[in-house]
Amino acid sequence: MSDTAWQILTMILYFLLMIGIGLWSYRKTSDVDDYMLGGRQLNPAVAALSAGASDMSGWLLMGLPGALYLSGVFEFWIAIGLTAGAWLNWKFVAPRLRSYTEVSNNSITVPSFLDSRLRDSTHSLRIVSGFIILFYFTFYVSSGMVAGGTFFEGAFGVDYKLGMIIIAAITVFYTLVGGFLAVSYTDAVQGTIMLLALVLVPVAGVIYVGGFDIVLDTTRSIDPELLNPLKNVTAIGLISAVAWGLGYVGQPHIIVRFMALRSPKEALAARRIGIGWMLLVVFGALFTALVGVAIFKHDESLLANPEQVFIVLGQLLFHPMIAGFMLAAILAAIMSTISSQLLVSSSALIEDVYMTFTNHKLSAKKGVMLSRIAVAGIAVLAGGLALNPNGTILKLVAFAWAGFGASFGPTIILSLYWRKLTGFGALAGMIMGAVTVAVWGNLDGGLLDLYEIVPGFIVNLVVTYIISSLTYRPNTIIDKEFDTAVQLSKDWSNHEALAAEVRQIVANNPDGYKPRSATLVADDGSEVELPK
C-alpha cells in the first residue's frame, strides 16, 4: 500500500469516528437545553479538552511551529500569554459563570445571561450581543472551511473546493445532528489527538537527531538568536503578545463550556486538566519547531513552507499510517473550532435574535429543529464565502479574537464580580470596545502598534464603569441572584434551597422584566416550570 493510501485510510477512520460520535449524541438530545448546552452535564475532562481544542485551531499545529521555526523562541510569548489567560479564565470566571447562568433564568447563551443578569427589559443588549456573535463567527467558520480546503489541496492534491466541501459536510453533519454533546465529545477526542501528535513528533525528532543537547547545539550553530526569548522584542511587542490572554474571557465558544459543567466545583478539576493539556501542546509545538530547525534549517530547500514543519516531520519520522494520524491532528484542530463556532452562531441566531424579536414560545422539538436549521443555514453562508476566499475574510479573522475579547471580556468579568453593572453601561462599553478594536487595528506607528485588544479592553472597562455608576438603581432580584451565584460558586450543596428562593422572588416579578426563552412550553403545550 502506498504512503498516500495509508494516510487516506487514516483520514477515513477519523471521519467515521466523528460521525459515530455525532449519531451517539443525537440519541441524547431531546430539547434546546440539550442541543445548546448538553443539559449542563459535561464532565470536567470533556469540558477542559473541548475548550482547548475549540480554542487552538490550526494555529497550534501549523502557525505556531512555523513562526517559531522561522523567527525563534521569542514568538512563544503569545503562547505564554494565552496559557496565563486560560488559567485565569478557569480560576475566576468558570465557577461563578456556571452558577450564575443557572441562577439567572437558566441562561444557556452568553447574550441571554447578560439580558437576564441585568434585567434588560428592552433586550437591546441581547440583540446586539447576538448580532456580534453571529457576524464574527460566520466569517470565522468560513475561515475554518478555507483552512480545510487548503489542507486537502496541499496534503493530497485534492481540488480546494472539494476538500472544503468534505470538511464542511462532515463537521456540519455531526454538529447539526448531535448539537452541543457532539461538539464537546468530538472536541475532546480531537484535543486528545492533538496532544498525542504534539508529544510524539518532538520526542521522535529528538531521538532521530540524537538527543536534546544536539538539537540545542545544532540550533545555536545555525543561529544563536533563535533561542533568545527577547530577540528584537520591544515593550509594545511584549505587551501585545502577552495581551492575547485577555481575549479568553470574551470568547463565547470557550466560556460556554463553563456554563455546561455539572456544577461549579468541577471547574477546579477542569482547570487542572485544561491547563495541563495546554502546557503540553504549546511546549510540544515549541520543541517541534526546534527539532525542525535542527533537521531542515541547514538546507532551506528541505522545507519550502515553515508552516509545514509539523507535517513534514511526521512524514519523515513515522510509518505512513502514523503520518496520517498527524494529518488527522491538523484536521482535528480545524474541525473542532468550526463545530464550536457553528453551534454558538446557531444559538445566537435562534435563542438570542429570533426568540427576542418574535417572542414566540417554542416546544422542545421545534426549538431543536430550528437550531439545526440555523446550523445548516450558517454553514451554507460561510461555505459560500469560503468558495472564493479573499483578504477581507482573513483580515477580519485576524482581529476577531481582539473584537470578542474587548467586546465581551470586561462585560463578563463585571457581570460576575460587580453587582452595580447596568444594562446601559454594559451596552455602551461593549459597543465602544468593539469600535476601539476596529479603529485601532487599522492604525500603525509607535504606540498604535500595540495589539488592539489592550485599548479596546480598557475603553470598555472605563465606559462601562462610568455609565453604570450613573445609571445604577438597586434591584431586589439582581441582588438576590448575585448573592446566590457567589454562594453557589463556592458551595453547591445548598443548591436546591437557594434556587427555590430565587424562583420565588422572580415569580413575584417586582421589576416587570420578562425573559425571552426558547423552552417555555412543553411539546404538549403546557407551561414549563423554571429550572430547579
Side-chain angles (χ1 to χ4, degrees):
M1 187 180 291
S2 68
D3 290 359
T4 302
W6 277 112
Q7 293 171 5
I8 291 174
L9 175 61
T10 305
M11 293 292 102
I12 292 173
L13 293 174
Y14 166 73
F15 286 144
L16 289 175
L17 177 60
M18 298 300 103
I19 292 171
I21 294 174
L23 293 174
W24 171 81
S25 301
Y26 174 78
R27 300 178 61 184
K28 294 182 174 292
T29 301
S30 59
D31 58 27
V32 176
D33 278 10
D34 288 341
Y35 193 81
M36 297 297 185
L37 211 58
R40 297 189 191 269
Q41 291 299 311
L42 216 58
N43 70 61
V46 174
L49 291 173
S50 64
S54 63
D55 158 34
M56 285 302 186
S57 189
W59 171 82
L60 178 66
L61 292 101
M62 298 181 71
L64 180 57
L68 290 165
Y69 174 91
L70 191 64
S71 304
V73 299
F74 80 94
E75 295 282 357
F76 198 64
W77 285 107
I78 292 178
I80 293 173
L82 289 172
T83 304
W87 187 89
L88 293 169
N89 208 18
W90 278 109
K91 172 69 174 178
F92 295 105
V93 175
R96 193 166 293 192
L97 185 65
R98 170 60 183 89
S99 63
Y100 215 146
T101 51
E102 184 165 352
V103 166
S104 191
N105 195 42
N106 194 35
S107 306
I108 62 174
T109 67
V110 171
S112 66
F113 164 64
L114 295 175
D115 182 276
S116 177
R117 155 71 175 87
L118 300 172
R119 316 300 289 176
D120 180 15
S121 58
T122 68
H123 305 294
S124 55
L125 183 60
R126 184 169 186 175
I127 293 171
V128 170
S129 300
F131 274 119
I132 289 174
I133 290 172
L134 191 61
F135 176 76
Y136 274 115
F137 274 154
T138 298
F139 285 92
Y140 242 143
V141 171
S142 177
S143 176
M145 292 180 180
V146 170
T150 304
F151 166 81
F152 267 100
E153 187 177 46
F156 299 108
V158 175
D159 178 72
Y160 163 80
K161 292 181 180 179
L162 177 59
M164 186 207 75
I165 291 172
I166 292 172
I167 288 290
I170 294 174
T171 308
V172 168
F173 174 80
Y174 72 70
T175 304
L176 185 148
V177 168
F180 185 82
L181 282 179
V183 169
S184 296
Y185 279 92
T186 53
D187 281 358
V189 171
Q190 290 159 340
T192 303
I193 292 173
M194 293 158 66
L195 172 63
L196 291 174
L198 282 168
V199 169
L200 288 175
V201 167
V203 167
V206 168
I207 294 173
Y208 177 85
V209 172
F212 190 65
D213 289 342
I214 296 178
V215 170
L216 294 179
D217 291 341
T218 305
T219 302
R220 290 192 189 97
S221 67
I222 293 171
D223 183 359
E225 287 298 298
L226 289 174
L227 297 176
N228 181 4
L230 297 177
K231 171 191 173 185
N232 298 327
V233 174
T234 63
I236 289 178
L238 184 59
I239 293 171
S240 296
V242 176
W244 275 79
L246 285 175
Y248 265 105
V249 71
Q251 307 300 316
H253 61 302
I254 295 175
I255 63 177
V256 73
R257 265 67 180 187
F258 305 162
M259 298 159 61
L261 287 166
R262 290 179 299 209
S263 70
K265 66 180 182 181
E266 293 193 333
L268 174 61
R271 183 179 81 235
R272 290 171 175 170
I273 295 169
I275 299 305
W277 178 89
M278 200 165 183
L279 287 171
L280 286 172
V281 296
V282 296
F283 276 101
L286 170 62
F287 294 138
T288 295
L290 293 179
V291 168
V293 169
I295 295 177
F296 303 125
K297 199 76 171 181
H298 66 280
D299 184 354
E300 298 289 351
S301 65
L302 297 176
L303 186 65
N305 183 356
E307 290 194 342
Q308 300 288 323
V309 62
F310 174 82
I311 297 175
V312 176
L313 282 175
Q315 294 171 335
L316 172 67
L317 299 171
F318 297 101
H319 182 276
M321 189 169 187
I322 305 300
F325 167 80
M326 304 303 166
L327 296 178
I330 297 175
L331 279 184
I334 295 170
M335 292 171 68
S336 62
T337 302
I338 292 176
S339 61
S340 296
Q341 293 167 349
L342 267 180
L343 194 66
V344 172
S345 301
S346 167
S347 66
L349 180 59
I350 299 302
E351 182 77 3
D352 301 317
V353 177
Y354 173 81
M355 286 303 303
T356 302
F357 276 120
T358 63
N359 196 25
H360 285 170
K361 293 183 178 181
L362 294 181
S363 69
K365 289 183 179 179
K366 188 174 181 181
V368 173
M369 179 190 71
L370 287 177
S371 298
R372 286 175 172 147
I373 291 174
V375 167
I378 294 166
V380 169
L381 177 59
L385 294 171
L387 285 175
N388 296 292
N390 55 62
T392 302
I393 295 175
L394 297 178
K395 183 179 179 181
L396 180 62
V397 171
F399 66 79
W401 180 270
F404 277 126
S407 298
F408 291 112
T411 308
I412 293 295
I413 293 171
L414 292 175
S415 71
L416 299 177
Y417 284 92
W418 190 40
R419 72 172 70 237
K420 294 184 179 181
L421 177 67
T422 68
F424 290 115
L427 183 62
M430 185 180 297
I431 293 173
M432 289 304 299
V435 170
T436 301
V437 166
V439 173
W440 196 283
N442 287 287
L443 303 174
D444 55 61
L447 184 61
L448 295 175
D449 289 333
L450 183 67
Y451 184 32
E452 52 266 29
I453 195 173
V454 178
F457 204 95
I458 294 172
V459 167
N460 187 337
L461 276 176
V462 172
V463 170
T464 301
Y465 177 80
I466 293 173
I467 301 298
S468 293
S469 297
L470 294 174
T471 58
Y472 173 73
R473 298 291 182 275
N475 183 292
T476 304
I477 293 179
I478 290 178
D479 288 342
K480 181 59 180 177
E481 287 183 349
F482 188 92
D483 293 335
T484 302
V486 172
Q487 187 171 348
L488 289 178
S489 67
K490 301 174 182 177
D491 181 11
W492 191 248
S493 60
N494 201 26
H495 172 234
E496 292 292 338
L498 290 173
E501 285 185 39
V502 172
R503 288 199 303 275
Q504 184 59 48
I505 295 176
V506 172
N508 294 331
N509 201 26
D511 58 2
Y513 168 79
K514 295 180 180 180
R516 300 290 191 264
S517 175
T519 55
L520 290 177
V521 295
D523 291 330
D524 61 4
S526 61
E527 293 289 331
V528 174
E529 183 185 359
L530 284 172
K532 298 180 179 180

